[in-house]
Amino acid sequence: MYVVATPLGNLQDISIRAQAVLSEVGAIAAEDTRHSQRLLDALGIRTRLFPLHEHNEQTAVGQVIRMLETGQHVALISDAGTPAISDPGARAVARVREAGFPVVPVPGPCAAIAALSASGFVDDGFRFVGFLPAKQAARRARIGELRGQEVPLVFYESPHRIAESVEDLAAVLEPSRDIVIAREITKIYEQIARMPLGEAPAWLAADANRCRGEFVLIVSGAPAVEGLPPDAERTLALLLEELPVKSAARLAADITGAARKLLYARALELKGS
């Protein structure tokens, strides 16, 4: 089974290899067959499509495996970008691999990587989160869990919840952090803006067009702090009584939201004293 990345919007981003694979496989499993048919028509590809989406993924993968058993090759695509990255396909990939068949990636467009490449963040690494929960209480709780992450946080968001999600990010995280709001990547109305997180809700509200399209949000990592909060110090000391340094620092960061690097350094100090 080939996992094929397709354009986010601009058809010129399709690779020569992706076109060849989509033309030559026996069938294509697509998130939305109507949407993908337009892509195939534009590329002059006549391969048969069948649906594989979040509501039928478990059953549709059975069809994929039966085709593979007969010696056919199958391609997996999503509506845009790379399948199985906050898109359907991950379960299908796992099942196909469990059945003993190879899964071959055909790399190409990915909204998260495209946004990161234009963000200007210079940190070593990032944390891909994907979509936040739909309900505010769960969304804020999830953001709170990520507060201590020291690398940029990458989110996907829809136009229906972009304003609420940005407001919650600004409410839970430090307003001095930077945020990159990237929308409609590779499309006609592409826009990539960077600003302090505390200013982002007003920036979105200033123009209704800024809330249209599909979004990637990138928020800078936890700011450096002088020393550790008292609750983090106490939590770390208790954990060190039972756990190794690395495990204690990791759990203390998860519990308190304090920076893991500072906790680890302090744990080494405490163990050495």
Side-chain angles (χ1 to χ4, degrees), residues 228-245:
L228 290 170
D231 65 322
E233 184 91 19
R234 288 193 299 271
T235 301
L236 179 64
L238 290 170
L239 291 170
L240 281 172
E241 294 177 6
E242 304 291 338
L243 297 171
V245 166

Side-chain angles (χ1 to χ4, degrees), residues 69-88:
E69 288 172 339
T70 64
Q72 297 185 68
H73 293 174
V74 180
L76 172 68
I77 63 175
S78 62
D79 285 352
T82 303
I85 308 298
S86 281
D87 264 333

Side-chain angles (χ1 to χ4, degrees), residues 8-208:
L8 301 171
N10 191 323
L11 290 184
Q12 294 182 46
D13 290 335
I14 189 78
S15 72
I16 295 172
R17 183 185 176 202
Q19 289 189 73
V21 168
L22 295 177
S23 297
E24 295 167 6
V25 293
I28 299 170
E31 181 180 0
D32 182 334
T33 55
R34 292 170 299 179
H35 178 90
S36 294
Q37 189 62 62
R38 292 194 290 271
L39 170 66
L40 297 190
D41 289 345
L43 298 173
I45 295 172
R46 299 290 175 255
T47 308
R48 178 175 67 88
L49 290 168
F50 67 93
L52 190 153
H53 47 72
E54 62 178 329
H55 302 297
N56 80 336
E57 190 168 0
Q58 292 286 14
T59 55
V61 71
Q63 181 178 351
V64 172
I65 291 172
R66 287 191 295 273
M67 294 181 65
L68 296 173
E69 288 172 339
T70 64
Q72 297 185 68
H73 293 174
V74 180
L76 172 68
I77 63 175
S78 62
D79 285 352
T82 303
I85 308 298
S86 281
D87 264 333
R91 292 185 184 90
V93 168
R95 287 271 306 277
V96 167
R97 294 182 65 85
E98 288 169 3
F101 295 101
V103 176
V104 179
V106 180
C110 173
I113 298 302
L116 276 163
S117 72
S119 70
F121 288 120
V122 295
D123 308 76
D124 292 330
F126 60 92
R127 172 73 181 271
F128 178 74
V129 182
F131 288 96
L132 287 165
K135 295 188 177 179
Q136 186 182 66
R139 187 165 58 238
R140 290 199 174 199
R142 179 68 176 127
I143 295 168
E145 292 171 359
L146 299 164
R147 193 165 188 249
Q149 294 286 315
E150 298 169 356
V151 294
L153 304 171
V154 183
F155 306 92
Y156 285 162
E157 196 49 271
S158 69
H160 311 294
R161 288 198 298 268
I162 183 63
E164 291 84 354
S165 290
V166 169
E167 286 175 2
D168 289 341
L169 286 166
V172 177
L173 304 178
E174 297 83 354
S176 59
R177 296 196 195 200
D178 272 6
I179 183 172
V180 167
I181 300 176
R183 71 181 187 93
E184 294 293 86
I185 293 176
T186 79
K187 301 176 184 177
I188 293 174
Y189 298 107
E190 177 182 272
Q191 185 174 28
I192 301 174
R194 179 168 171 168
M195 68 201 73
L197 179 56
E199 298 176 9
W203 183 84
L204 283 173
D207 184 346

